[in-house]
Amino acid sequence: MTVDTDAAAAEELIAGHIPAAAHPELPDWDVDPYDEDLLRDPFAYYAALRDKGPVVRLSRYGALAVGRFEQTREVFSDHARFLSSRGVGLDDFKLSKPWRPPSIILEVDPPEHTRARRVMAKAMSPLVARALAADFRASADALVEAALGQGRIEAVTEFAEAFPTEVFPRAVGMTDPDRRKLIDYGAMVFNSIGPDNALRRRAGGLLPEIAPWIAASCSRERLTPGGMGDAVYSAADAGEITHEEAGLLVRSFLSAGVDTTVTGIGNALWCFAQNPDQWAALKADPSLVRPAIEEALRLTSPVHTFCRTAGQDTEIAGIPVREGTKILCVLGAANTDPEKWEDPMAFRVDRRPVGHLAFGVGIHGCVGQTVARAELEAVLSALLARVDRIEPDGEAVWRPNNAMRALDRLPLRLVPR
Ligand code: OVM
């Protein structure tokens, strides 16, 4: 990260951005939300963050944080006041050079955002997701059969990672998929959203090895006709975006489409292993599969934190916020706010948690959410058809990541129906 010396000279930066101003009614907290132990078990931090107030100043990062549902939703919904173009991590892209050319859909504001968003929304429309469903289900069925054959599985590697790294590259139309590189690139992208800590440095260390492969994988020659990647290049042919932009949007598939669904699937399996009564409830009423997916997403919030940057002097809950201030939007905390959700820590497949923030909200709300849901539905439906019980077969271990709440190991025993 190279720091713009003029901007840095104007004011001492903290963690790559202008520090948030203090205010008598703004609680100061010296917690490190990126501490690895906290990331493995964040629920006490989520509760304390909500309890301290509607906005909290994280003194060691000079950033604000919101964890109540109301304010998290407010910041995420208002793209005019709270920008994405200055980065959705702690680094202010206005003050320093990002580690890669910014995403033209994630790290951008309107009007530039609108064109890219339209192209990606079309490439991953509900129609496209529906067309992929049969392929997803066939792969899920095969994975479930293999898992039942073994009886015991390490569900992170053998299931959660195995499924999206098989079906998603096929949906994109990748001719040379590489499971390990896709997983490592996802870890890099999501860890980069945090501070310059050991997690980010460790993940970033693989960049020299992976960046050339990612760049090559985004080129048109490597994408088969009819896939989602080809659809993006067709939009370039039609003049909606440039061909260079098409390559960057294919990079967004590879950045945001793998680690997220890997985590969603692992976390959903963890929810059922922890709550056998809820697996029984789903078996009794398979029409709850869609609500069950939303509930697993709400409770475990695979993307736990994304930031925004105040683009102007403003306020949140009456607290003044100056231009350039970074705001951590703690989605995992908002999704377990007892002011919004009854008995929020309970996993209930019949809750129907409408309005949860696991996919974000507003113009930057997850553009791949229909494909993500289709993947989760394929996996849960395949399990429902063949599996009577999902039981822990050892301790679940979480894998700390600056932006993801993901498992590292999930030993399970699957009992056939
Ligand atoms: C992108 C991107 C990267 C990470 C996450 C994301 C959740 C998008 O490169 O566009 O959305």
Side-chain angles (χ1 to χ4, degrees), residues 88 100 102-107 120 185 189-190 193 248-249 251-257 260 303 306 364 366:
V88 300
R100 60 173 194 168
S103 163
I104 64 164
I105 184 161
L106 176 74
E107 293 152 338
M120 290 297 264
Y185 190 60
V189 166
F190 285 93
I193 283 163
L248 281 168
L249 289 178
R251 192 193 67 177
S252 286
F253 284 134
L254 309 188
S255 303
T260 46
V303 174
F306 263 15
H364 289 284
C366 179

Side-chain angles (χ1 to χ4, degrees), residues 27 33 43 58 87 94 98 106 115 141 145 148 163 259 296 316 355 393 397 408:
F43 289 106
L58 303 174
K94 203 171 154 180
L106 176 74
R115 263 181 324 128
D141 284 338
E145 279 319 304
L148 281 172
F163 182 75
D259 234 21
I316 303 170
D393 188 42
V397 179
D408 190 51

Side-chain angles (χ1 to χ4, degrees), residues 36-91:
E36 293 190 23
D37 287 329
L38 182 152
L39 290 168
R40 282 187 197 96
D41 184 10
F43 289 106
Y45 152 69
Y46 292 165
L49 175 63
R50 290 187 305 258
D51 287 349
K52 281 180 186 288
V55 194
V56 174
R57 182 161 164 265
L58 303 174
S59 39
R60 74 175 76 194
Y61 293 115
L64 302 181
V66 293
R68 294 185 185 175
F69 184 85
E70 187 186 337
Q71 281 76 30
T72 307
R73 192 175 199 292
E74 177 187 335
V75 173
F76 249 51
S77 301
D78 194 340
H79 61 269
R81 284 192 300 151
F82 303 110
L83 306 181
S84 288
S85 58
R86 292 167 76 166
V88 300
L90 285 169
D91 294 316

